[in-house]
Amino acid sequence: MKNSYLNLLCFGCLLCLLIFPNLFCQASQLLPNPRLVNAYTAFQAWKRAIQSDPMKFTSNWRGPNVCNYSGVYCASAPDNPHITTVAGIDLNHGNIAGSLPEELGLLTDLALIHLNSNRFSGTIPKSFYNLHLLHELDLSNNLFTGFFPSVILSLPSLKFLDLRFNQFEGSVPSALFDLKLDALFINNNKFRSSIPDNIGNSPVSVIVLATNVLLGSIPSSFTKMAGTLEEINLMNTGLSGCLPPDIDRLSLTVYDVRFNNLIGPLSENIGGIKTLEQLHVAHNKLSDHIPASICSLPRLLNFTYSYNYFSGDPPPCHKFLGNDDSQNCFLGRPSQRSTEECSSFPAQEVNCSIPGSLQNKTPVPRSPLPKTPPSVGWDDQHDLMNRIY
Protein backbone atom coordinates (compact mmCIF):
# COMPACT_ATOMS: atom_id res chain seq x y z
CA MET A 1 0.00 0.00 0.00
CA LYS A 2 2.86 2.37 0.93
CA ASN A 3 4.62 1.67 -2.38
CA SER A 4 1.39 2.36 -4.32
CA TYR A 5 0.98 5.68 -2.54
CA LEU A 6 4.62 6.67 -3.26
CA ASN A 7 4.30 5.65 -6.89
CA LEU A 8 1.13 7.72 -7.26
CA LEU A 9 2.80 10.68 -5.60
CA CYS A 10 5.85 10.46 -7.83
CA PHE A 11 3.72 10.13 -10.95
CA GLY A 12 1.63 13.18 -10.05
CA CYS A 13 4.65 15.26 -9.24
CA LEU A 14 6.46 14.22 -12.43
CA LEU A 15 3.41 14.95 -14.58
CA CYS A 16 2.97 18.39 -13.13
CA LEU A 17 6.69 19.10 -13.37
CA LEU A 18 6.71 18.26 -17.07
CA ILE A 19 3.63 20.35 -17.87
CA PHE A 20 3.96 23.28 -15.49
CA PRO A 21 7.56 23.30 -14.20
CA ASN A 22 7.48 26.83 -12.83
CA LEU A 23 4.18 26.45 -10.99
CA PHE A 24 5.22 23.10 -9.56
CA CYS A 25 8.49 24.40 -8.23
CA GLN A 26 6.68 27.36 -6.65
CA ALA A 27 4.10 25.09 -5.02
CA SER A 28 6.75 22.67 -3.74
CA GLN A 29 8.63 25.54 -2.11
CA LEU A 30 5.60 27.19 -0.51
CA LEU A 31 3.57 24.16 0.64
CA PRO A 32 4.57 22.59 3.97
CA ASN A 33 4.23 18.89 3.08
CA PRO A 34 3.99 16.47 0.13
CA ARG A 35 0.27 15.85 0.71
CA LEU A 36 -0.58 19.46 -0.02
CA VAL A 37 1.72 19.37 -3.05
CA ASN A 38 -0.31 16.38 -4.23
CA ALA A 39 -3.51 18.31 -3.55
CA TYR A 40 -2.24 21.24 -5.61
CA THR A 41 -1.58 18.85 -8.50
CA ALA A 42 -5.07 17.34 -8.18
CA PHE A 43 -6.98 20.63 -7.99
CA GLN A 44 -5.12 22.19 -10.88
CA ALA A 45 -5.94 19.13 -13.01
CA TRP A 46 -9.58 19.41 -11.93
CA LYS A 47 -9.63 23.12 -12.71
CA ARG A 48 -8.56 22.29 -16.27
CA ALA A 49 -11.34 19.68 -16.53
CA ILE A 50 -14.06 22.18 -15.59
CA GLN A 51 -15.86 23.60 -18.61
CA SER A 52 -18.31 25.95 -16.91
CA ASP A 53 -18.53 27.45 -13.43
CA PRO A 54 -21.32 30.05 -13.57
CA MET A 55 -21.30 30.67 -9.82
CA LYS A 56 -17.48 30.97 -9.77
CA PHE A 57 -17.00 28.30 -7.11
CA THR A 58 -13.50 27.60 -8.40
CA SER A 59 -12.47 31.13 -9.33
CA ASN A 60 -9.95 31.27 -6.48
CA TRP A 61 -8.39 27.90 -7.25
CA ARG A 62 -5.10 29.63 -8.00
CA GLY A 63 -1.77 29.51 -6.24
CA PRO A 64 -0.40 26.85 -3.94
CA ASN A 65 -2.51 27.47 -0.81
CA VAL A 66 -5.15 24.84 -1.54
CA CYS A 67 -6.64 25.10 1.95
CA ASN A 68 -7.98 28.53 0.98
CA TYR A 69 -9.73 27.22 -2.15
CA SER A 70 -13.53 27.53 -2.06
CA GLY A 71 -15.15 24.22 -1.24
CA VAL A 72 -11.93 22.67 0.05
CA TYR A 73 -11.58 21.77 3.72
CA CYS A 74 -8.29 20.96 5.40
CA ALA A 75 -7.63 19.26 8.72
CA SER A 76 -4.89 17.45 10.58
CA ALA A 77 -4.06 14.12 8.95
CA PRO A 78 -5.54 11.16 10.86
CA ASP A 79 -2.17 9.40 10.94
CA ASN A 80 -0.15 12.48 11.97
CA PRO A 81 -1.73 15.47 13.78
CA HIS A 82 1.24 17.64 12.81
CA ILE A 83 0.51 17.34 9.07
CA THR A 84 -2.21 19.39 7.38
CA THR A 85 -4.05 17.66 4.57
CA VAL A 86 -7.18 18.01 2.42
CA ALA A 87 -9.98 16.22 4.25
CA GLY A 88 -13.15 17.30 2.43
CA ILE A 89 -14.58 18.74 -0.79
CA ASP A 90 -17.97 20.45 -0.90
CA LEU A 91 -19.14 21.87 -4.23
CA ASN A 92 -22.86 21.24 -3.71
CA HIS A 93 -25.29 23.28 -5.80
CA GLY A 94 -22.54 24.84 -7.93
CA ASN A 95 -24.04 24.07 -11.37
CA ILE A 96 -20.48 23.27 -12.45
CA ALA A 97 -19.95 21.43 -15.75
CA GLY A 98 -16.95 19.24 -16.37
CA SER A 99 -15.50 15.87 -15.46
CA LEU A 100 -13.57 14.25 -12.63
CA PRO A 101 -9.86 13.74 -13.48
CA GLU A 102 -7.82 10.73 -12.40
CA GLU A 103 -5.58 13.06 -10.38
CA LEU A 104 -8.28 13.21 -7.69
CA GLY A 105 -6.89 9.88 -6.54
CA LEU A 106 -3.92 11.83 -5.16
CA LEU A 107 -6.19 13.15 -2.37
CA THR A 108 -5.72 10.02 -0.29
CA ASP A 109 -6.84 11.63 2.99
CA LEU A 110 -10.30 12.65 1.76
CA ALA A 111 -13.11 11.83 4.17
CA LEU A 112 -15.96 13.31 2.15
CA ILE A 113 -16.79 14.40 -1.39
CA HIS A 114 -20.06 16.26 -1.93
CA LEU A 115 -20.88 17.28 -5.52
CA ASN A 116 -24.68 17.38 -5.37
CA SER A 117 -26.52 19.41 -8.05
CA ASN A 118 -23.88 20.12 -10.65
CA ARG A 119 -23.39 19.09 -14.28
CA PHE A 120 -20.42 16.79 -13.91
CA SER A 121 -20.42 14.05 -16.55
CA GLY A 122 -18.41 11.07 -17.68
CA THR A 123 -17.43 8.22 -15.38
CA ILE A 124 -15.99 7.94 -11.90
CA PRO A 125 -12.15 7.83 -11.91
CA LYS A 126 -10.59 4.45 -11.19
CA SER A 127 -8.07 6.29 -9.03
CA PHE A 128 -10.79 6.64 -6.37
CA TYR A 129 -9.46 3.23 -5.36
CA ASN A 130 -6.85 5.16 -3.35
CA LEU A 131 -9.43 7.00 -1.22
CA HIS A 132 -9.31 4.54 1.67
CA LEU A 133 -10.57 7.08 4.23
CA LEU A 134 -13.59 8.23 2.20
CA HIS A 135 -16.62 8.23 4.48
CA GLU A 136 -19.25 10.11 2.43
CA LEU A 137 -19.62 10.21 -1.36
CA ASP A 138 -22.44 12.33 -2.78
CA LEU A 139 -22.49 12.53 -6.59
CA SER A 140 -26.24 13.04 -6.85
CA ASN A 141 -28.06 15.17 -9.40
CA ASN A 142 -25.34 15.21 -12.04
CA LEU A 143 -24.86 13.68 -15.50
CA PHE A 144 -22.61 10.72 -14.74
CA THR A 145 -22.98 7.73 -17.07
CA GLY A 146 -21.81 4.15 -17.47
CA PHE A 147 -22.31 1.05 -15.38
CA PHE A 148 -22.31 1.11 -11.61
CA PRO A 149 -18.84 2.49 -10.73
CA SER A 150 -17.14 -0.65 -9.42
CA VAL A 151 -14.35 1.36 -7.80
CA ILE A 152 -16.89 2.34 -5.11
CA LEU A 153 -17.03 -1.30 -4.00
CA SER A 154 -13.38 -1.08 -2.92
CA LEU A 155 -13.79 1.86 -0.51
CA PRO A 156 -13.42 0.32 2.97
CA SER A 157 -14.49 3.36 5.03
CA LEU A 158 -17.56 4.37 3.01
CA LYS A 159 -20.72 4.88 5.07
CA PHE A 160 -22.89 7.22 2.97
CA LEU A 161 -23.40 6.74 -0.78
CA ASP A 162 -25.65 8.95 -2.91
CA LEU A 163 -25.72 8.36 -6.68
CA ARG A 164 -29.33 9.39 -7.31
CA PHE A 165 -30.47 11.45 -10.30
CA ASN A 166 -27.72 10.43 -12.71
CA GLN A 167 -27.65 8.19 -15.79
CA PHE A 168 -25.96 5.08 -14.48
CA GLU A 169 -27.17 1.89 -16.16
CA GLY A 170 -26.81 -1.87 -16.14
CA SER A 171 -27.25 -4.10 -13.13
CA VAL A 172 -27.04 -3.29 -9.45
CA PRO A 173 -24.05 -5.31 -8.17
CA SER A 174 -24.73 -7.67 -5.29
CA ALA A 175 -21.43 -6.60 -3.68
CA LEU A 176 -23.01 -3.20 -3.01
CA PHE A 177 -25.07 -4.76 -0.22
CA ASP A 178 -22.02 -6.24 1.47
CA LEU A 179 -20.61 -2.74 2.12
CA LYS A 180 -20.97 -1.42 5.66
CA LEU A 181 -23.09 1.55 4.62
CA ASP A 182 -25.38 3.62 6.83
CA ALA A 183 -27.38 5.13 3.94
CA LEU A 184 -27.76 4.23 0.26
CA PHE A 185 -29.44 6.29 -2.47
CA ILE A 186 -29.27 5.05 -6.07
CA ASN A 187 -32.74 6.14 -7.19
CA ASN A 188 -33.59 7.86 -10.48
CA ASN A 189 -30.98 6.20 -12.64
CA LYS A 190 -31.25 3.67 -15.48
CA PHE A 191 -30.36 0.53 -13.57
CA ARG A 192 -32.11 -2.59 -14.81
CA SER A 193 -31.86 -5.79 -12.79
CA SER A 194 -33.50 -7.72 -10.02
CA ILE A 195 -32.86 -6.80 -6.41
CA PRO A 196 -29.97 -9.06 -5.31
CA ASP A 197 -30.94 -11.71 -2.77
CA ASN A 198 -28.13 -10.62 -0.44
CA ILE A 199 -29.71 -7.19 0.12
CA GLY A 200 -30.41 -8.36 3.65
CA ASN A 201 -26.67 -8.28 4.36
CA SER A 202 -26.67 -4.48 4.23
CA PRO A 203 -26.64 -2.64 7.58
CA VAL A 204 -28.19 0.55 6.14
CA SER A 205 -30.79 2.58 7.99
CA VAL A 206 -32.10 4.18 4.77
CA ILE A 207 -32.29 2.56 1.33
CA VAL A 208 -33.80 4.28 -1.72
CA LEU A 209 -33.87 2.33 -5.01
CA ALA A 210 -36.86 4.14 -6.55
CA THR A 211 -37.34 4.89 -10.26
CA ASN A 212 -35.10 2.20 -11.67
CA VAL A 213 -36.19 -1.05 -13.33
CA LEU A 214 -35.94 -3.74 -10.66
CA LEU A 215 -37.66 -6.80 -12.08
CA GLY A 216 -39.02 -9.59 -9.94
CA SER A 217 -40.27 -9.56 -6.38
CA ILE A 218 -39.12 -8.04 -3.10
CA PRO A 219 -36.55 -10.44 -1.60
CA SER A 220 -37.52 -11.97 1.73
CA SER A 221 -33.99 -11.24 2.95
CA PHE A 222 -35.11 -7.66 3.59
CA THR A 223 -36.29 -8.89 6.97
CA LYS A 224 -32.68 -9.71 7.94
CA MET A 225 -32.15 -5.95 8.23
CA ALA A 226 -34.06 -5.80 11.50
CA GLY A 227 -32.29 -3.59 13.98
CA THR A 228 -30.90 -1.16 11.39
CA LEU A 229 -33.34 -0.48 8.54
CA GLU A 230 -35.75 2.41 9.14
CA GLU A 231 -36.71 3.63 5.66
CA ILE A 232 -37.43 1.67 2.44
CA ASN A 233 -38.30 3.38 -0.83
CA LEU A 234 -38.96 1.04 -3.78
CA MET A 235 -41.35 3.34 -5.62
CA ASN A 236 -41.73 2.98 -9.39
CA THR A 237 -39.38 0.06 -9.90
CA GLY A 238 -41.65 -2.46 -11.67
CA LEU A 239 -41.68 -4.93 -8.78
CA SER A 240 -44.24 -7.75 -8.82
CA GLY A 241 -45.34 -10.52 -6.47
CA CYS A 242 -46.53 -10.10 -2.90
CA LEU A 243 -45.30 -7.95 -0.07
CA PRO A 244 -43.04 -9.83 2.38
CA PRO A 245 -45.38 -11.23 5.05
CA ASP A 246 -42.94 -10.91 7.96
CA ILE A 247 -42.14 -7.24 7.36
CA ASP A 248 -43.13 -6.53 10.97
CA ARG A 249 -39.68 -7.71 12.01
CA LEU A 250 -38.39 -4.32 10.87
CA SER A 251 -38.68 -1.11 12.89
CA LEU A 252 -39.63 1.02 9.88
CA THR A 253 -40.69 4.65 9.83
CA VAL A 254 -41.13 4.82 6.01
CA TYR A 255 -42.39 2.00 3.77
CA ASP A 256 -42.93 3.17 0.17
CA VAL A 257 -43.78 0.73 -2.63
CA ARG A 258 -46.01 2.94 -4.80
CA PHE A 259 -46.24 2.56 -8.60
CA ASN A 260 -45.42 -1.13 -8.91
CA ASN A 261 -47.28 -4.33 -9.82
CA LEU A 262 -47.56 -5.82 -6.34
CA ILE A 263 -50.45 -8.21 -5.71
CA GLY A 264 -52.29 -9.82 -2.85
CA PRO A 265 -53.64 -8.38 0.38
CA LEU A 266 -51.93 -6.00 2.77
CA SER A 267 -50.45 -8.20 5.44
CA GLU A 268 -51.94 -7.92 8.91
CA ASN A 269 -48.33 -8.01 10.08
CA ILE A 270 -47.79 -4.44 8.89
CA GLY A 271 -49.95 -3.49 11.84
CA GLY A 272 -47.13 -4.74 14.03
CA ILE A 273 -44.70 -2.04 12.90
CA LYS A 274 -45.42 0.36 15.75
CA THR A 275 -42.76 2.83 14.52
CA LEU A 276 -44.37 3.29 11.07
CA GLU A 277 -45.11 6.92 10.09
CA GLN A 278 -45.43 6.77 6.29
CA LEU A 279 -47.06 3.88 4.40
CA HIS A 280 -47.46 4.24 0.62
CA VAL A 281 -48.90 1.38 -1.44
CA ALA A 282 -50.85 3.33 -4.10
CA HIS A 283 -50.79 2.30 -7.78
CA ASN A 284 -50.42 -1.46 -7.41
CA LYS A 285 -52.75 -4.49 -7.73
CA LEU A 286 -53.38 -5.03 -4.03
CA SER A 287 -56.80 -6.37 -3.07
CA ASP A 288 -59.06 -7.57 -0.25
CA HIS A 289 -59.73 -5.57 2.93
CA ILE A 290 -57.31 -3.18 4.58
CA PRO A 291 -56.53 -4.51 8.08
CA ALA A 292 -57.74 -2.33 10.95
CA SER A 293 -54.41 -2.86 12.73
CA ILE A 294 -52.63 -0.83 10.03
CA CYS A 295 -54.86 2.20 10.35
CA SER A 296 -54.60 2.01 14.14
CA LEU A 297 -50.82 2.33 14.20
CA PRO A 298 -49.95 4.96 16.82
CA ARG A 299 -47.46 6.95 14.70
CA LEU A 300 -48.97 6.56 11.23
CA LEU A 301 -49.30 10.03 9.69
CA ASN A 302 -49.75 9.29 6.00
CA PHE A 303 -51.27 6.24 4.31
CA THR A 304 -51.86 6.28 0.52
CA TYR A 305 -53.65 3.40 -1.22
CA SER A 306 -55.41 4.71 -4.35
CA TYR A 307 -55.31 2.75 -7.65
CA ASN A 308 -55.58 -0.73 -6.19
CA TYR A 309 -58.45 -3.23 -5.83
CA PHE A 310 -59.23 -2.84 -2.14
CA SER A 311 -62.85 -3.65 -1.38
CA GLY A 312 -63.14 -2.82 2.29
CA ASP A 313 -61.61 -0.68 4.99
CA PRO A 314 -62.53 -0.54 8.68
CA PRO A 315 -63.53 2.70 10.47
CA PRO A 316 -59.99 3.48 11.72
CA CYS A 317 -58.94 3.90 8.06
CA HIS A 318 -61.53 6.56 7.33
CA LYS A 319 -59.26 9.25 8.74
CA PHE A 320 -56.97 8.67 5.74
CA LEU A 321 -59.69 9.17 3.12
CA GLY A 322 -58.32 12.64 2.45
CA ASN A 323 -55.19 10.97 1.07
CA ASP A 324 -57.30 9.71 -1.87
CA ASP A 325 -58.97 6.31 -1.89
CA SER A 326 -59.92 6.60 -5.58
CA GLN A 327 -59.77 3.81 -8.14
CA ASN A 328 -60.38 0.99 -5.71
CA CYS A 329 -63.46 -1.17 -5.28
CA PHE A 330 -65.12 0.48 -2.28
CA LEU A 331 -68.92 0.32 -2.60
CA GLY A 332 -70.83 3.59 -2.57
CA ARG A 333 -67.83 5.88 -2.85
CA PRO A 334 -67.01 8.25 -5.70
CA SER A 335 -64.22 7.76 -8.23
CA GLN A 336 -64.00 3.99 -7.83
CA ARG A 337 -63.35 1.35 -10.47
CA SER A 338 -66.36 0.03 -12.31
CA THR A 339 -68.28 -2.95 -10.98
CA GLU A 340 -67.20 -4.95 -14.03
CA GLU A 341 -63.52 -4.17 -13.48
CA CYS A 342 -63.68 -5.07 -9.80
CA SER A 343 -65.54 -8.31 -10.39
CA SER A 344 -63.22 -9.38 -13.20
CA PHE A 345 -60.03 -8.84 -11.21
CA PRO A 346 -58.84 -12.33 -10.22
CA ALA A 347 -58.21 -11.53 -6.55
CA GLN A 348 -59.41 -14.99 -5.60
CA GLU A 349 -56.53 -16.51 -7.57
CA VAL A 350 -53.86 -14.66 -5.61
CA ASN A 351 -52.02 -16.90 -3.17
CA CYS A 352 -49.03 -15.16 -1.66
CA SER A 353 -47.67 -18.43 -0.31
CA ILE A 354 -47.12 -19.55 -3.91
CA PRO A 355 -44.75 -17.24 -5.88
CA GLY A 356 -46.14 -16.22 -9.25
CA SER A 357 -49.68 -17.39 -8.49
CA LEU A 358 -51.23 -14.52 -10.44
CA GLN A 359 -50.65 -14.79 -14.16
CA ASN A 360 -52.47 -11.60 -15.12
CA LYS A 361 -49.80 -9.11 -16.25
CA THR A 362 -52.10 -6.24 -17.19
CA PRO A 363 -50.53 -3.02 -15.85
CA VAL A 364 -52.39 -0.86 -13.37
CA PRO A 365 -53.55 2.51 -14.77
CA ARG A 366 -51.18 5.13 -13.46
CA SER A 367 -51.07 8.87 -13.19
CA PRO A 368 -47.75 10.57 -13.97
CA LEU A 369 -45.13 10.50 -11.25
CA PRO A 370 -44.52 13.88 -9.64
CA LYS A 371 -41.38 15.66 -10.77
CA THR A 372 -39.87 16.53 -7.43
CA PRO A 373 -36.31 17.83 -7.32
CA PRO A 374 -33.81 15.74 -5.38
CA SER A 375 -33.34 16.66 -1.77
CA VAL A 376 -29.87 16.63 -0.27
CA GLY A 377 -29.41 13.85 2.25
CA TRP A 378 -27.10 14.59 5.14
CA ASP A 379 -26.59 18.15 3.86
CA ASP A 380 -22.89 18.91 4.18
CA GLN A 381 -23.61 22.55 4.94
CA HIS A 382 -24.66 21.39 8.42
CA ASP A 383 -21.82 20.50 10.78
CA LEU A 384 -19.57 19.61 7.84
CA MET A 385 -16.28 19.76 9.66
CA ASN A 386 -17.67 17.75 12.59
CA ARG A 387 -18.02 14.76 10.26
CA ILE A 388 -14.49 14.93 8.82
CA TYR A 389 -12.56 12.02 10.32
Side-chain angles (χ1 to χ4, degrees), residues 179-233:
L179 298 181
K180 304 306 180 184
L181 297 174
D182 291 333
L184 173 62
F185 302 87
I186 61 171
N187 53 289
N188 293 83
N189 278 283
K190 298 179 179 180
F191 293 121
R192 184 180 180 89
S193 69
S194 60
I195 299 178
D197 288 336
N198 71 325
I199 193 169
N201 295 349
S202 179
V204 293
S205 61
V206 179
I207 185 166
V208 183
L209 309 181
T211 314
N212 288 290
V213 180
L214 303 177
L215 304 172
S217 59
I218 300 175
S220 60
S221 63
F222 255 114
T223 55
K224 292 172 58 179
M225 302 164 81
T228 59
L229 189 61
E230 298 176 2
E231 299 184 23
I232 303 174
N233 190 332

Side-chain angles (χ1 to χ4, degrees), residues 35-81:
R35 302 189 199 197
L36 292 181
V37 174
N38 256 9
Y40 176 78
T41 302
F43 285 116
Q44 292 309 305
W46 199 2
K47 175 77 171 176
R48 294 190 296 274
I50 289 175
Q51 301 163 354
S52 173
D53 182 6
M55 300 175 68
K56 303 190 183 304
F57 268 57
T58 62
S59 61
N60 70 341
W61 285 18
R62 299 187 301 269
N65 195 351
V66 296
C67 292
N68 284 344
Y69 288 6
S70 295
V72 177
Y73 297 86
C74 292
S76 297
D79 61 333
N80 189 335

